[in-house]
Amino acid sequence: MPESKILSDPWFDSKGLMNDARKAFFSDVSIQSSKQPVIGREELNTPSEVSALQHYLAGSLPLEAAARSIMTMDESQILLDDKELRICWLLFDASMTFVSRQDDILELQTAIANIPDDEIGLTDAQKARFPEWKEWKWLNPCPSPLNEMRRSYWGWRYRHREEDADPRDCYRRWRDINALLAKSEMHAGKIESLHHLVQIISDGLESEPWREKANEITHFPGTIEALDADVPAAAIKLVIEATLIYDFIVQHPDYDAFKQPTRLWSEDKPGLSMERWGLWKERLLWVQEQGQLDQETRDIARAAHDNMIEAERKR
């Protein structure tokens, strides 16, 4: 996204806008220490935190400078209580809003973790109030918003919201959060949750939804169109992590740590194997031929299949 669009994007105003009433509210120590759920998480970020993220994504603020600005310990606008959590929510929300910049946001999170302790900028009084301050830069609460919203997007992947501009936005949210999970694992250099990865891929590539009963509560249609929600989430894992997955299979042939039967995979077979890898490739080719599915679904299936072939070639 061009710098001018980032700098003018209203999303940042919604996160960091501070009118006089809000400034007065945030500066009220009695309210901030009351632990009452009176402020939504989207209102908790200060202008300096949001501005640093905005200018970093626009390319006008270097990575290390953005990390230090986001982790400012100034309490003139809001107390430091829950600093980690509000930064984690800010980075998560940005990752889901500016999906093409997810890798940049993950790099920013790494830069925050690499800030030297003596450059954190806490006063002695603040250090006394928060004895765990050295752990803040690790942003340990970040899995919380990711896991909370992953469950939400999964439960709502067949049902769009009233505010959605496109009914297919529910499919895209489910795809995009799985992209973020996959990129997080690529940054870590390892698969953090093999069970979750196989579950997502098998939901998309080993199911036959037309054989299942429709569900009015979840809006599961009981037709092939359900794959417009499940295939992109599976395919994005393979677009991003094909090399990691293939290397794991090569190193652990017939991996049998978990077994969960699907329409196309028996519980008598290993949980992960070259045979299953081959099944996924076949199903991605099959998806590309299904005219009832969205073009987006067929295109990402093609990209995933190409990346699987490339992972094999590199090995």
Side-chain angles (χ1 to χ4, degrees), residues 76-114:
S76 62
Q77 294 174 322
I78 185 171
L79 298 181
L80 290 177
D81 303 80
D82 300 321
K83 169 81 174 182
E84 298 167 284
L85 187 57
R86 75 169 185 262
I87 295 303
C88 286
W89 272 112
L90 175 66
L91 297 181
F92 171 78
D93 287 344
S95 295
M96 294 300 296
T97 303
F98 306 101
V99 176
S100 65
R101 308 301 299 277
Q102 286 179 346
D103 282 310
D104 295 320
I105 294 169
L106 287 167
E107 288 180 10
L108 178 60
Q109 188 170 330
T110 299
I112 290 172
N114 289 333

Side-chain angles (χ1 to χ4, degrees), residues 1-14 54-55 57-58 98:
M1 183 178 290
E3 176 180 349
S4 60
K5 288 190 176 182
I6 288 285
L7 292 176
S8 62
D9 196 296
W11 181 87
F12 293 98
D13 288 337
S14 73
Q54 182 178 26
H55 285 274
L57 293 178
F98 306 101

Side-chain angles (χ1 to χ4, degrees), residues 58-70:
S60 55
L61 187 64
L63 176 63
E64 290 75 14
R68 285 170 170 76
S69 294
I70 286 175

Side-chain angles (χ1 to χ4, degrees), residues 1 32 40 60 82 134 138 146 183 190 195 228 259 297 315:
M1 183 178 290
Q32 286 300 319
S60 55
D82 300 321
K134 288 187 178 182
W138 298 108
L146 192 58
K183 289 172 184 175
K190 62 179 180 178
H195 177 79
D228 281 325
K259 292 183 178 181
T297 302
R315 185 73 186 190

